[in-house]
Amino acid sequence: MISVQNTLYFFNGNTRPGPAADKTCCSAPVTAVRQYSVSSRVWSNVVYSGWKPVARYGHSFSEINGILWLFGGASSHRPFCFNDMWKYSIATGQWSPIIIKSKDENTPPVIPPPRSFHSWATGVATPLSSPRRFSIVFGGTDCSLANIGDLWKFDHNTQEWSEIVAESAGPGARARAATSIYQSDETVNLILYGGDKKESALDDMWLFDFSSLSWTQLSDFNSEPMSKRGKFSFISQLNKLFVFGGSSQGRVLSDVWIFDYMTKSWKEVQWISKKGSLIHPERYGHFTVPVDGNSFISCAGTNGLSPFDDCVLFDSLTKEWVKLTLPASAPSIDPRFDTNPAYYCGSTYVYGGRTTVLVYDDLWMMSTGQVLL
């Protein structure tokens, strides 16, 4: 999912936002996506032409310089999981596949193995004034449903993949982990939290230093970390990691936690429902997008019984949930889970996702306001 000028765009599947954001926004018209306006509370369809990715879920989705990048994911039919990459131009409203070329005719192209439910984070090459952008892929689930623990880098300027081999032991194979790039002009680090390992949820936290190529487990917290969980959603903004919902030992969760990168502390936000509003935020497999430094919108997901098509807004200052209601005649996305967002200039985009019987290949957009990452 991606946000552009107070509009949210959405295409089936899961996504993981990165902390590095473009400082400027484009005003190019968007076509071929569903759009949801927070003010008018309606989705609108963005229609695109030409090729498009096949239906999928559990893929990554992000925005860089007005381009939406989609990688990997799973399907309900063979080959069951993918390692293809696509880009969607917001300016032209067209999808195009990324063709990874070989170094020479005797060498196969360097591409990560197929996977779904991997972690994705985007950063800027140092110094931060550099125009070069990169994305990091960690772990996930392969086509046999086994967990993966490898680390890859994609250079968006050269459109080349390279595997990163760590000099130290790291977090190990897992899927659905939260990852975020935390960087300055001198250093680039990857923060990783939790995830799923087979049927077990994890609660460990790791830092990867790109200069030393080493993993370090973070354990000296100034507070107790939250409970183990899987299938949660997260956003990283203003030096904080927001974690919402998920599942743990058969329970569907609705709690909200914030990790402060500066103080290395977890804090649970005790929330309330706005008076007169029936809010049931508990869910997993949902997607979450930032509204400002203190609020986020969470949409779709499931409680294990049925998928959702709703959106709820949470304000960490007032500690209130507000349900975003649609006019009776307004279009709406179909219920779904396991999809991810990409942001662009106040709008969020989402592609794909699934129910227990369907896998989608549609693209939607929603206005969420200026994103502060």
Side-chain angles (χ1 to χ4, degrees), residues 191-219:
I191 301 290
L192 181 146
Y193 168 76
D196 295 330
K197 187 173 183 179
K198 295 184 179 180
E199 299 300 321
S200 300
L202 303 169
D203 65 351
D204 51 346
M205 200 164 202
W206 294 78
L207 181 145
F208 183 77
D209 187 322
F210 285 90
S211 60
S212 63
L213 299 179
S214 61
W215 285 102
T216 302
Q217 185 170 5
L218 304 179
S219 57

Side-chain angles (χ1 to χ4, degrees), residues 84-364:
D84 57 341
M85 177 172 277
W86 291 74
K87 64 179 181 179
Y88 175 82
S89 170
I90 294 175
T92 65
Q94 291 185 325
W95 285 100
S96 57
I98 301 299
I99 307 300
I100 307 299
K101 298 180 180 180
S102 303
K103 295 290 186 181
D104 56 68
E105 60 181 14
N106 298 318
T107 305
V110 176
I111 306 175
R115 67 193 63 209
S116 60
F117 299 115
H118 49 282
S119 302
W120 176 281
T122 298
V124 182
T126 55
L128 297 181
S129 58
S130 169
R132 300 185 68 86
R133 302 295 298 273
F134 67 90
S135 292
I136 298 296
V137 167
F138 173 82
T141 301
D142 67 16
C143 297
S144 67
L145 303 184
N147 290 140
I148 311 170
D150 53 352
L151 190 65
W152 291 79
K153 178 180 178 180
F154 182 76
D155 187 314
H156 289 270
N157 295 80
T158 64
Q159 297 189 7
E160 292 179 335
W161 284 102
S162 57
E163 185 173 7
I164 300 174
V165 179
E167 298 292 336
S168 61
R174 64 186 67 195
R176 298 179 185 261
T179 52
S180 178
I181 299 292
Y182 183 63
Q183 64 183 121
S184 65
D185 274 335
E186 293 78 28
T187 62
V188 181
N189 296 312
L190 176 74
I191 301 290
L192 181 146
Y193 168 76
D196 295 330
K197 187 173 183 179
K198 295 184 179 180
E199 299 300 321
S200 300
L202 303 169
D203 65 351
D204 51 346
M205 200 164 202
W206 294 78
L207 181 145
F208 183 77
D209 187 322
F210 285 90
S211 60
S212 63
L213 299 179
S214 61
W215 285 102
T216 302
Q217 185 170 5
L218 304 179
S219 57
D220 187 20
F221 298 113
N222 295 322
S223 63
E224 289 297 320
M226 60 184 168
S227 61
K228 296 180 180 180
R229 69 191 58 213
K231 304 177 183 178
F232 56 87
S233 68
F234 73 95
I235 55 173
S236 181
Q237 57 178 346
L238 301 182
N239 294 323
K240 292 181 174 63
L241 178 71
F242 291 71
V243 173
F244 163 56
S247 62
S248 178
Q249 298 179 336
R251 296 181 298 120
V252 183
L253 305 175
S254 61
D255 50 349
V256 178
W257 288 77
I258 299 176
F259 180 78
D260 190 310
Y261 294 135
M262 306 301 292
T263 63
K264 294 184 179 180
S265 62
W266 284 102
K267 179 182 179 181
E268 183 178 6
V269 182
Q270 300 290 342
W271 57 266
I272 59 176
S273 292
K274 193 171 183 179
K275 187 176 180 180
S277 177
L278 296 177
I279 299 291
H280 300 284
E282 59 273 3
R283 62 192 65 205
Y284 63 85
H286 49 293
F287 64 89
T288 296
V289 296
V291 176
D292 55 35
N294 301 298
S295 305
F296 62 79
I297 292 175
S298 188
C299 300
T302 180
N303 59 4
L305 300 176
S306 59
F308 301 140
D309 62 357
D310 64 339
C311 288
V312 290
L313 182 145
F314 182 73
D315 187 324
S316 65
L317 297 181
T318 64
K319 301 179 181 179
E320 286 185 333
W321 284 103
V322 178
K323 186 171 184 177
L324 304 180
T325 57
L326 296 173
S329 60
S332 177
I333 63 171
D334 297 312
R336 68 190 68 200
F337 55 93
D338 287 343
T339 186
N340 281 304
Y343 321 110
Y344 178 68
C345 297
S347 295
T348 299
Y349 296 76
V350 180
Y351 181 83
R354 64 169 170 169
T355 67
T356 54
V357 295
L358 297 173
V359 179
Y360 293 105
D361 63 354
D362 51 350
L363 179 63
W364 298 72

